[in-house]
Amino acid sequence: MTDLRAQLQAGLGGSYTLERELGRGGMATVFLAQDVKHDRPVALKVLHPELAMSLGPERFLREIKLAARLQHPHILTVLDSGDTGGRLWFTMPFVEGESLRDRLRRERQLPVEDAVRIAREAAQALQYAHEHGVVHRDIKPENLLLTRDGNTLVADFGIARGLQAGGGSDEKLTDTGLVVGTPAYMSPEQASGDRALDARSDVYSLGSVLYEMLAGEAPFTAPTMQAMIVKRLTEPPPSVRAVRPTVPEAVDHAIRKALAPLAADRFGTMAQFGQALLGSASVQTGAATVPTPTGPPVPSGPATPSAASAATRPVAPAEPRRSRVSPVAIALTAGLLIGGGLLFAWRHSGAGGEPPSGRRVVAVLPFDNLGDSSDAYFADGVSDEVRTKLGQVAGLEVIARNSSLSFRHTTKQPSEIARDLGADYLLTGTVRWEKSGGTSRVRVTPELVDARPGQAGHSRWGQQFDASLTDVFQVQADIATKVADALGVALADSARRGLTAKPTENLAAYDEYLKGEAASQGMAAGDPPSMRRALVYYQRAVELDSTFAKAWARLSHTNIRLYGNGTPDPVLAKQALLEAERARRLNPIEPIVYRSLGAYYAGVPPVDFARARTEYEHGLQLAPGSAELLNAVAVTEMAIGQWDSAAVRLEHAALVDPRSQEIAITLSDVRRSLRQYPAADAAADRALALAPTNVRAVSRKALAAIGRGDLASARAAVRAGAQRIDPAELYSYVATFFDLYWVLDDDQQRQVLALPVSAFDGDRGNWATDRSEIYHLRGDRAHAVIYADSARLAYIEQIRGAPDDPQRHAFLGLALAMLGRAAEAEREGQRGNQLAAGDATYLPYTQHQLMRIYLLTGQPEKALDLLEGLLKVPYDLSPGWLRIDPTFDPVRSNPRFKRLIEGSAALPQ
């Protein structure tokens, strides 16, 4: 942060003097600064590089102009903005006071008079904005500021979007898909991705905020965003009088009308909503009546004519006609991937009080091992088990394991860790495992740290547990129970029983299981050696205790990952299914059981994505906050073409696992498939920042550049990766996955040609195919044919074991095409397409391979037929890709191909 402050100060020159950092959120860092020219304090906000990259300087300035136009007593205005060395910033008045969220944390429920006054003042500000063509889209307690003199200010118009379509400053800013929204307050139409939002969406959000001010909780709560959306659409708006009878009937009626699931049933304007809140004399007491703003009202229909025409205008001829990720999901996956949303700064008037609506976010950091270094895995096991148990407690949100592990041995302060993870509380601890005289004892000393914003981190609870090793499970349960009690979470009897459940009675089996968990850390990066090491320990665990359900589930999942990351082995796949089914019989309420079952049905041909999704959803019902399950469901939904839902799942997963490289990689895949390359690139950068040596993250960085048609940047990404990763590992991966052998430069290609089969995890088919393709690219026809035949033999053998694997048939078709056996090649390529039917991720890939087969066998028109279709669906190929991929050299002069490239301006780049 010191570097950022120094760089920013240097760029600002003498215009502003930065004094101190006020706060940081998912989109920006805010400083207290002195406006030198006007001798006044201001809040200066600088956007994070990821958001700045997505917006770009021109769009940023256009959107800031929208905010700067809004001059109203209840709107926090924009004073100045600029671009300093690529750092996008703007300033606002520095407000003495607090946010509505701060006050709700202290009081939970506000006096009726105060709540209605705040809502009416916000309504006046929003009515004014709507009259000027701006819908806020992110009304929530954090964006309503309460000044010391009793006024309400609406903040965060900085990236609101104009309603009107057309030119100039009112142009509808739809290209980036940036929309701000917070799930708990979104209107149903916003949550479902409707672009044609109007004033009634803000009416819904403000109604939700008013309900929370009066009831102490949001009107609709659920363990997942999807469940929350379903509630909004299927359940009638709740009556606040049911939980607080002193609320006047007129106010209750106004809130329920504002929360109507259909926009047509709500107030048409904010002015109407504000007027309805004056229906009871009791709510006028102590609050001055302010005339309703005059001016042309925002129509109560779906949208203004210009907005409607913008939302329904035909897609450009060359743009894919496909289901796009909803604007809500696009904005949230860009911002929530790196944390919550502090957009404006103001002084917090004090600390204390619990988070509103029962929300308590806890991060269980790795417990420090105080014993022998070889026992570190045991300390991790204790913290993992406590984390799992806390995740079962209703009322707590628990940050995922991977994100918490990243802070092992950190020197950061608790407030910094909590901010980075989006947590309110940190559970830390030490573990000492003492083995002497034939007995083992364990001493665990946990501490719960209150690290909420605005407070100096302080201990909320701490205790030392000293017990024999046989009582370690009781110690873990006691810690979870004490944490819940310290946070004021009431535990039902069934919940307490669940916390005391033991995964196994056999301590030796548990020890082997923990070693497997430690060895499996490389599995997220798709590392087969890590999988095999973990497999040995899980197998030992079930040999020692054949009733150990979690160990059976982990064993199954590891075997499935090995099946998908190596040579397909039908025996291995069958074994994995039997292991998962056994785990379910042993413990049908264990969430990871369903993760293993879902992975089997999604990963072993013939795949059954509907069944996989059902299994994953069952697991999510048991563990709604599981980032692993959320990510798995998202991948499955991508496969069935439900990109909107997949993006929302990933946004939720990023909240509970903000430092997950896997989620960042999947987000990059979603964005790239939708040809949203700046966002895909930003997600790849996030993955690389979290895991610089992850070959998959490097490939995503290269793929985003390829989609833009930037071969130089793609090669630069690979070269940079080779500075951190074993070149043999990186180059073999790049050459094999996504068929990017042509991206490698001459020296890198030579290194691939020198690699043994072992560098390809023993897959002779992949090894031979890469050699054949590289020799063909280099004009060595003789060697290309030799290795194509080796690939043919390898794939025939693999298909015997996995006859329904679509990729193997496609790869066999490629080898046959290289050998000039056109009819056989086409037949195998078409077979791959048939087997991939119904998979929205694999089918385009097998169609891509069939297209390559047609190009190799001299059938350009068939190839172009497939290519035109692939440019219309979510997939990697783009006009930019076509420009640089030598695969397409045989059709470069073809008029149809030229038209595809010439039409590239109409496609997202």
Side-chain angles (χ1 to χ4, degrees), residues 70 72-76 118-140 143-144 152-157 160 163 198-207 209 268-271 273-274 293 296-298:
L70 302 178
H72 187 275
H74 293 300
I75 291 179
L76 188 68
I118 291 168
R120 290 201 67 247
E121 290 179 353
Q124 293 167 27
L126 291 165
Q127 174 69 24
Y128 172 87
H130 297 160
E131 291 169 0
H132 288 75
V134 177
V135 177
H136 190 287
R137 299 169 182 261
D138 196 20
I139 293 298
K140 57 185 177 182
N143 285 334
L144 299 183
T152 304
L153 294 175
V154 181
D156 186 14
F157 280 98
L163 280 174
D198 60 18
R200 296 169 300 175
S201 182
D202 282 349
V203 167
Y204 185 97
S205 298
L206 186 59
V209 172
T269 67
M270 274 292 178
F273 183 25
V298 176

Side-chain angles (χ1 to χ4, degrees), residues 859-877:
Q859 302 179 74
E861 295 305 314
K862 286 185 177 181
L864 290 171
D865 288 342
L866 281 171
L867 179 57
E868 288 177 348
L870 286 170
L871 290 175
K872 296 176 182 177
V873 298
Y875 184 56
D876 286 293
L877 285 180

Side-chain angles (χ1 to χ4, degrees), residues 98-415:
E98 64 178 347
S99 73
L100 175 59
R101 174 63 73 207
D102 293 327
R103 183 169 176 185
L104 287 172
R105 284 188 177 126
R106 283 198 319 276
E107 302 178 23
R108 191 165 178 266
Q109 293 173 293
L110 304 190
V112 175
E113 295 81 0
D114 286 2
V116 171
R117 175 184 55 77
I118 291 168
R120 290 201 67 247
E121 290 179 353
Q124 293 167 27
L126 291 165
Q127 174 69 24
Y128 172 87
H130 297 160
E131 291 169 0
H132 288 75
V134 177
V135 177
H136 190 287
R137 299 169 182 261
D138 196 20
I139 293 298
K140 57 185 177 182
E142 288 80 355
N143 285 334
L144 299 183
L145 312 186
L146 310 179
T147 66
R148 287 185 174 177
D149 59 2
N151 275 322
T152 304
L153 294 175
V154 181
D156 186 14
F157 280 98
I159 45 180
R161 183 189 297 178
L163 280 174
Q164 298 179 354
S169 60
D170 291 331
E171 181 179 349
K172 187 176 182 182
L173 305 173
T174 58
D175 297 340
T176 63
L178 280 170
V179 177
V180 173
T182 301
Y185 307 96
M186 283 182 190
S187 66
E189 62 269 24
Q190 185 178 6
S192 64
D194 190 347
R195 289 181 181 273
L197 300 181
D198 60 18
R200 296 169 300 175
S201 182
D202 282 349
V203 167
Y204 185 97
S205 298
L206 186 59
S208 299
V209 172
L210 178 53
Y211 182 97
E212 183 172 340
M213 284 192 280
L214 295 169
E217 64 180 6
F220 295 102
T221 58
T224 67
M225 181 177 175
Q226 292 77 19
M228 191 186 303
I229 293 172
V230 169
K231 275 191 172 184
R232 292 177 191 163
L233 292 171
T234 60
E235 295 183 6
S239 168
V240 72
R241 283 172 57 83
V243 294
R244 191 171 176 183
T246 57
V247 174
E249 290 186 5
V251 173
D252 183 46
H253 176 76
I255 293 174
R256 281 185 287 147
K257 185 176 177 67
L259 294 177
L262 293 178
D265 293 333
R266 295 179 213 138
F267 297 104
T269 67
M270 274 292 178
Q272 294 171 4
F273 183 25
Q275 189 64 38
L277 293 176
L278 293 178
S280 170
S282 63
V283 301
Q284 298 182 54
T285 304
T289 301
V290 181
T292 301
T294 58
V298 176
S300 60
T304 61
S306 55
S309 61
T312 59
R313 60 177 178 268
V315 179
E319 183 172 337
R321 294 178 180 273
R322 49 185 158 78
S323 173
R324 301 177 65 90
V325 171
S326 70
V328 174
I330 290 170
L332 289 173
T333 49
L336 293 177
L337 181 63
I338 49 178
L342 172 65
L343 293 183
F344 291 84
W346 54 90
R347 289 182 180 170
H348 296 276
S349 60
E354 296 296 343
S357 305
R359 181 180 183 270
R360 297 162 178 83
V361 184
V362 181
V364 181
L365 301 187
F367 286 9
D368 290 331
N369 172 44
L370 300 183
D372 190 277
S373 60
S374 62
D375 296 335
Y377 73 93
F378 182 82
D380 282 346
V382 173
S383 55
D384 287 347
E385 192 65 26
V386 171
R387 184 182 299 109
T388 299
K389 290 182 180 298
L390 286 173
Q392 300 169 2
V393 176
L396 294 182
E397 296 178 27
V398 182
I399 298 298
R401 180 179 193 264
N402 288 337
S403 288
S404 296
L405 282 179
S406 65
F407 290 95
R408 186 193 302 277
H409 306 311
T410 183
T411 59
K412 288 190 173 184
Q413 294 299 310
S415 59

